[in-house]
Amino acid sequence: MAPVAPRSGDAIFANIERVNAELFTLTYGAIVRQLLTDLEEVEEVNKQLDQMGYNIGIRLVDEFLAKSNVSRCVDFRETTDVIAKVGFKMFLGVTASVTNWDAEGTCCSIVLEDNPLVDFVELPDTCQGLYYCNILSGVIRGALDMVSMKTEVTWLRDVLRGDDVFELQVKLLKQVPEEYPYKDDE
Amino acid sequence: MIGVGKMKQYSNVLDKPLTKGKQEVSLSAFAFLFSELVQYNQTQVDNIGELERRLEDAGYAVGARVLELLCHREKGNRRETRLLGILSFVHSTVWKVLFGKVADSLEKGTEHEDEYMISEKELLVNKFISIPKDMGTFNCGAFVAGIVRGVLDSAGFPAVVTAHFVPMEGQQRPRTTILIKFAEEVLRREARLG
């Protein structure tokens, strides 16, 4: 059977069911608001958003791999490229770009110009430490964790804090080799 | 060329031009997000009633904002003052914008004057959710009920809105009905307006 060619992000996005981005934006806003009311501490909210993103990421990666038919990525460079071009397009309908590679090829930045999560949003003075889109960093971390890559994802630039784009730094900490969950001789 | 390709910086979010509302995200992105919302709230409450209330509150916030957005964008800042007007606004415009289609049906309750029902064969938010037996009559449609309550309340039609499953013969999954019970003052005002 001939291998199926990987589909581009646009092609996949055109074929899957879509919903209005505003419903998505407003629901995310409701979640952040609920967290702020319950937890009150901005740091706690950041952590909770990251955790929620992680939970989403570990399940999202299955759907991503199933729908996009990408072949196994050879190195981290290809992985982040696929995340930015196919992953973001497939789920959020926006394309991201990858820049700022470091010398070893383990650290890069994913730059997002358009972000459906932050339409209509302005950070008040009381929440200046909040990473509003922290759920995205959790999603990427969770998804990569499930494909055996331990990463650290942090925000470098945030439009809500006055920068002009969103920039996420993705750093590969280590590649965990896949282990069988049982021993052969038992 | 200077300035080409760079987004214009707006100091105030209210100065930004309003989007046309045509942008879309994948259904699964929304489904994942909604499931996290429900899961988070499950850890914060002890019983089903509380959980429904929290989902409704989340929906209320969405509804209030949806009304403002749609009034400005679709209706040119005109306000609905009649009961049937606001109900058909919710049933058609709000549903069309949020869920991509108008609601399946809008009915007036037969037993009570102040009850109306919007029904949907399969609510978008419930599409990937199955309720375990021990959660009884819990319905994640409480989120949508909250949206409707937010729209109605902000438009000046206070109401109690709840979501119910209505089993249908011949269908495996029950239909969802959003039951709207308007407050006394709304009916009195409606009667006065004739």
Side-chain angles (χ1 to χ4, degrees):
Chain A
M1 194 174 75
V4 185
R7 300 153 68 187
S8 76
D10 289 311
I12 306 172
F13 192 60
N15 279 334
I16 54 176
E17 281 187 56
R18 299 182 293 277
V19 298
N20 190 328
E22 283 163 359
L23 175 63
F24 184 71
T25 309
L26 291 173
T27 306
Y28 185 64
I31 292 179
V32 176
R33 237 191 334 270
Q34 255 191 353
L35 287 176
L36 280 169
T37 322
D38 292 338
L39 300 171
E40 285 171 30
E41 278 288 308
V42 161
E43 264 316 303
E44 283 297 314
V45 177
N46 283 341
K47 272 206 296 226
Q48 182 68 37
L49 281 175
D50 189 71
Q51 182 58 40
M52 286 168 97
Y54 186 85
N55 294 338
I56 292 181
I58 59 183
R59 292 152 67 203
L60 184 129
V61 71
D62 277 335
E63 182 171 343
F64 174 74
L65 291 172
K67 294 230 166 95
S68 66
N69 285 325
V70 292
S71 50
R72 200 175 177 77
C73 291
V74 185
D75 58 7
F76 189 58
R77 237 174 227 274
E78 214 183 310
T79 312
T80 46
D81 225 23
V82 156
I83 293 178
K85 299 271 169 346
V86 185
F88 271 100
K89 184 72 196 177
M90 211 168 120
F91 289 102
L92 294 180
V94 294
T95 333
S97 51
V98 186
T99 55
N100 278 353
W101 278 103
D102 72 341
E104 296 113 43
T106 54
C107 186
C108 69
S109 293
I110 296 185
V111 175
L112 267 174
E113 287 196 358
D114 227 347
N115 189 343
L117 290 173
V118 302
D119 282 336
F120 321 127
V121 177
E122 191 178 47
L123 278 188
D125 294 324
T126 49
C127 302
Q128 283 304 314
L130 181 67
Y131 286 114
Y132 187 80
C133 309
N134 218 23
I135 210 169
L136 287 179
S137 64
V139 170
I140 295 180
R141 192 169 62 90
L144 288 176
D145 220 25
M146 284 293 115
V147 289
S148 328
M149 287 186 232
K150 285 233 173 307
T151 50
E152 191 184 308
V153 186
T154 43
W155 286 100
L156 290 182
R157 282 191 284 172
D158 192 337
V159 168
L160 295 175
R161 291 179 176 207
D163 302 308
D164 47 354
V165 289
F166 290 96
E167 190 173 336
L168 268 170
Q169 183 185 62
V170 185
K171 190 159 147 173
L172 176 67
L173 295 175
K174 69 177 192 170
Q175 209 140 14
V176 184
E178 279 193 33
E179 276 182 21
Y180 284 110
Y182 54 85
K183 296 257 182 294
D184 273 340
D185 44 4
E186 268 175 36
Chain B
M1 278 187 285
I2 303 169
V4 164
K6 187 159 154 24
M7 231 169 49
K8 182 150 173 245
Q9 293 310 305
Y10 292 95
S11 53
N12 188 346
V13 69
L14 291 173
D15 290 330
K16 269 171 79 168
L18 210 47
T19 56
K20 291 272 186 311
K22 295 281 184 289
Q23 211 192 354
E24 294 180 307
V25 297
S26 76
L27 173 62
S28 49
F30 176 72
F32 278 124
L33 193 68
F34 187 69
S35 96
E36 281 305 311
L37 172 67
V38 176
Q39 281 180 57
Y40 168 71
N41 279 308
Q42 266 181 313
T43 61
Q44 300 285 314
V45 300
D46 301 317
N47 59 62
I48 311 261
E50 268 290 301
L51 183 56
E52 278 200 348
R53 205 182 54 78
R54 284 182 70 109
L55 282 183
E56 241 203 60
D57 286 342
Y60 184 88
V62 175
R65 285 157 179 78
V66 159
L67 177 72
E68 278 191 39
L69 182 67
L70 292 184
C71 264
H72 181 68
R73 197 162 63 195
E74 314 258 336
K75 285 153 51 74
N77 285 325
R78 290 193 54 223
R79 229 168 34 95
E80 289 292 342
T81 49
R82 303 308 301 264
L83 194 68
L84 280 184
I86 192 71
L87 277 174
S88 77
F89 173 71
V90 168
H91 164 269
S92 333
T93 317
V94 174
W95 234 256
K96 185 103 213 296
V97 167
L98 290 183
F99 307 121
K101 58 186 264 300
V102 301
D104 284 346
S105 68
L106 170 62
E107 292 154 358
K108 191 166 149 65
T110 42
E111 291 159 40
H112 302 274
E113 269 307 303
D114 52 355
E115 281 183 3
Y116 288 83
M117 292 163 304
I118 294 183
S119 297
E120 184 80 25
K121 185 160 158 221
E122 179 79 53
L123 266 186
L124 190 83
V125 301
N126 281 343
K127 192 160 179 178
F128 299 115
I129 296 184
S130 58
I131 314 282
K133 280 267 179 347
D134 57 352
M135 295 193 83
T137 54
F138 172 62
N139 191 337
C140 288
F143 182 68
V144 176
I147 295 181
V148 173
R149 189 166 70 94
V151 172
L152 290 176
D153 222 19
S154 308
F157 293 84
V160 172
V161 188
T162 46
H164 303 275
F165 281 125
V166 175
M168 300 286 289
E169 308 150 14
Q171 268 175 39
Q172 209 187 19
R173 302 250 301 175
R175 203 170 68 150
T176 312
T177 298
I178 309 281
L179 183 65
I180 305 170
K181 198 173 164 72
F182 285 104
E184 265 299 309
E185 58 197 79
V186 175
L187 297 165
R188 277 205 301 268
R189 187 176 67 207
E190 194 64 20
R192 254 203 332 270
L193 286 173

